[in-house]
Amino acid sequence: MSLSWTPDQVLSLAPDSSSAKSGRELSSPGKWVGFARSADESALWGECQGSGRLPYQTQIDLSGGTPTFKCTCPSRKFPCKHGLGLFLMYAARPEAFAAAEPPVWVVEWLEGRRKRAEAKAEKAAKGPAPKDPHAQAKREAAREKKVAAGVAELSLWLRDLVRGGLAQAPGKPYKFWDDMGARLVDAQAPGLARMVRELAEHTSGEGWQERLLERLGRIHLAAQAYARLSSLPEPHQADVRAVVGFTQPQEEVQALEGVAGTWLVMGQAVVQEEKLRARRTWLLQEGTYRYALLLEFAFGKNAFSVPLHPDSSWEGELAFFPSAYPMRAVLKSGQPRYDYSLATIGGDTAAGLLDAYSAALAANPWTERIPATLTATLEPFGDVSRWTLRSPEGAQLRLHPRFNYHHGLLGYTGGQPVHLFGEWDGEAFLPLRAYAEGEQGLLNLPHQEAVE
């Protein structure tokens, strides 16, 4: 028997507001050629007539903690509107789904998923193949040498750039930044390469000089810190290595001591770059109000592995990546829960948010964003790029330019102060969740960035 899902929980899986709207439109039986479920309610399937000759075949696997979707439609969104429509219809009217034997196309998909899961479990049970310590040490030493050479070249490039004057930056083509980024990739320092390439985005617009100088300072600090890595405390070493581009396997992190509790899912954000999707899931520990970030990646239409959505929580342990300001974590043990409430969680002031951001930067200067709750009133203007959030003490914060749900949020708040959960990057606030203290009504703010 699958877990019970409500229509609101299903809609929280939508990648954006347009997908949620289209999913609602397809949640009527009349839109479907046929639909059914397995006897144990672990799978749903249906056929929806589209613009082509053959109907789209949509299927959902509910056997795990989180639903997995597949559809023959050409949509790059995940889940697509057909998957949302079918799931919404089941959540609202499960009795309309007759139990039946799955058709061949469903059986083949489920069998493929089962075999891949078994292979993964078998591989995990065997554990990693024994490594040759000598060969591994040799590879690590070779990479450290390449990174050190790349960092030295980066430091020289930064000095030349600043010596020439930042006024020349707007006239430089993207190739100027990309070439240095490519050399850092060759030096096996992908984190620094990304930071260098992103500099091209900060050579125009109001206040570009301050933004560019700040980012150059962070890159310079990373280069200098890596050159003196052995003299730093271990948590700071971990931060420097992470910003340079060294990764730590999640299996190693899961072996660390865990932090147990009830972790509420506060909000999610998805970034789409071609066929690769990255999802940030923010958790808040009940009682301690400690935040944790789960960062996942999925290619194509593959599902994210973490069985959590914005109307759920995790009862169990999390393990945190080593850091002077630990936020990123992995699930260690436990299970998802679907009884959820933010009724006792209030919002912070703008001053409190800025203090928290200052503390994060003091511990880890390369912190890109922090999670925060904020009590504020949405203040609209004719141009949505000028909409702001005003906190009760009168401070104004800029809405993130990638936020595109202005009118939906305004309709929810009715012009009154509301609690918002979101991300603060030092310049703008990106809302991911709106809620009123003492009430159960939540507004999940769809957020999916398409990176060009």
Side-chain angles (χ1 to χ4, degrees):
M1 177 68 70
S2 61
L3 291 170
S4 176
W5 283 72
T6 67
D8 285 342
Q9 289 173 337
V10 173
L11 287 173
S12 72
L13 301 175
D16 51 42
S17 56
S18 63
S19 296
K21 182 175 182 291
S22 299
R24 291 191 196 95
E25 294 171 352
L26 291 176
S27 63
S28 169
K31 301 287 186 178
W32 295 80
V33 176
F35 54 87
R37 62 170 175 84
S38 59
D40 61 358
E41 298 184 80
S42 64
L44 312 174
W45 61 88
E47 293 183 288
C48 184
Q49 188 63 56
S51 56
R53 182 175 61 87
L54 298 175
Y56 296 127
Q57 295 175 333
T58 306
Q59 45 204 314
I60 307 175
D61 183 358
L62 297 174
S63 59
T66 190
T68 302
F69 299 80
K70 184 180 181 182
C71 184
T72 57
C73 76
S75 174
R76 293 177 60 185
K77 295 181 179 180
F78 189 87
C80 68
K81 62 182 180 181
H82 306 98
L84 288 169
L86 182 66
F87 203 8
L88 279 170
M89 188 163 55
Y90 177 71
R93 296 180 293 277
E95 68 281 358
F97 284 69
E101 286 296 319
V104 174
W105 49 277
V106 175
V107 172
E108 290 178 347
W109 179 60
L110 294 175
E111 184 65 14
R113 283 182 51 77
R114 183 187 64 79
K115 288 181 178 179
R116 288 191 294 272
E118 289 178 351
K120 185 177 180 181
E122 183 178 351
K123 183 178 178 181
K126 289 181 179 178
K131 297 179 180 179
D132 181 346
H134 178 71
Q136 184 179 2
K138 188 175 180 180
R139 288 193 299 270
E140 291 175 353
R143 182 181 180 184
E144 296 280 2
K145 185 177 180 180
K146 291 182 70 174
V147 172
V151 168
E153 184 180 0
L154 172 63
S155 297
L156 180 61
W157 181 84
L158 289 171
R159 286 197 294 271
D160 288 344
L161 178 63
V162 174
R163 187 181 296 114
L166 294 188
Q168 298 181 14
K172 296 186 181 297
Y174 177 74
K175 187 176 184 301
F176 171 79
W177 315 97
D178 187 52
D179 284 349
M180 186 64 236
R183 294 201 291 275
L184 288 167
V185 170
D186 291 340
Q188 295 185 276
L192 291 176
R194 176 183 63 84
M195 294 174 71
V196 167
R197 284 169 168 157
E198 288 177 350
L199 292 174
E201 303 174 9
H202 303 286
T203 58
S204 61
E206 183 180 355
W208 69 266
Q209 299 92 335
E210 291 82 2
R211 297 198 309 273
L212 180 61
L213 185 59
E214 177 194 2
R215 283 156 179 80
L216 286 171
R218 291 192 187 193
I219 296 173
H220 175 70
L221 180 62
Q224 294 299 306
Y226 186 78
R228 299 167 173 78
L229 191 64
S230 60
S231 65
L232 300 177
E234 287 188 5
H236 294 286
Q237 288 189 27
D239 289 329
V240 174
R241 292 178 65 84
V243 78
V244 167
F246 288 90
T247 58
Q248 184 173 7
Q250 292 198 6
E251 294 77 13
E252 291 184 6
V253 179
Q254 287 175 328
L256 301 176
E257 183 178 356
V259 180
T262 298
W263 299 86
L264 307 178
V265 179
M266 297 297 293
Q268 289 179 327
V270 178
V271 178
Q272 177 90 40
E273 186 172 4
E274 295 183 352
K275 293 186 177 181
L276 181 67
R277 289 173 294 124
R279 184 172 74 173
R280 302 188 298 269
T281 300
W282 291 103
L283 306 179
L284 180 67
Q285 187 181 29
E286 273 191 336
T288 67
Y289 298 104
R290 178 179 184 177
Y291 282 107
L293 169 64
L294 304 181
L295 183 60
E296 308 165 80
F297 299 92
F299 186 79
K301 292 189 175 183
N302 292 330
F304 289 111
S305 59
V306 174
L308 292 171
H309 60 82
D311 288 327
S312 64
S313 61
W314 183 260
E315 188 72 31
E317 284 187 298
L318 270 60
F320 285 80
F321 283 76
S323 171
Y325 193 82
M327 280 196 299
R328 189 182 172 192
V330 296
L331 300 180
K332 184 176 174 70
S333 64
Q335 60 185 357
R337 287 175 43 186
Y338 299 96
D339 49 334
Y340 190 89
S341 174
L342 297 181
T344 61
I345 300 176
D348 203 350
T349 62
L353 182 153
L354 297 178
D355 286 344
Y357 186 64
S358 297
L361 288 181
N364 180 1
W366 303 283
T367 301
E368 294 187 0
R369 59 182 66 87
I370 64 165
T373 58
L374 177 69
T375 300
T377 303
L378 185 64
E379 296 197 343
F381 290 89
D383 180 0
V384 294
S385 65
R386 297 177 58 204
W387 286 39
T388 60
L389 297 169
R390 183 181 293 275
S391 66
E393 72 272 26
Q396 280 188 302
L397 299 176
R398 188 166 70 95
L399 272 173
H400 200 287
R402 285 180 173 154
F403 182 69
N404 57 7
Y405 204 62
H406 302 76
H407 294 94
L409 179 57
L410 183 62
Y412 176 82
T413 64
Q416 300 300 312
V418 69
H419 300 319
L420 297 170
F421 171 80
E423 298 173 342
W424 174 254
D425 64 4
E427 297 179 2
F429 188 84
L430 176 64
L432 299 176
R433 173 71 68 89
Y435 60 98
E437 190 170 355
E439 298 182 10
Q440 295 297 320
L442 303 172
L443 177 65
N444 296 316
L445 302 171
H447 178 68
Q448 178 157 345
E449 301 175 11
V451 180
E452 299 181 355

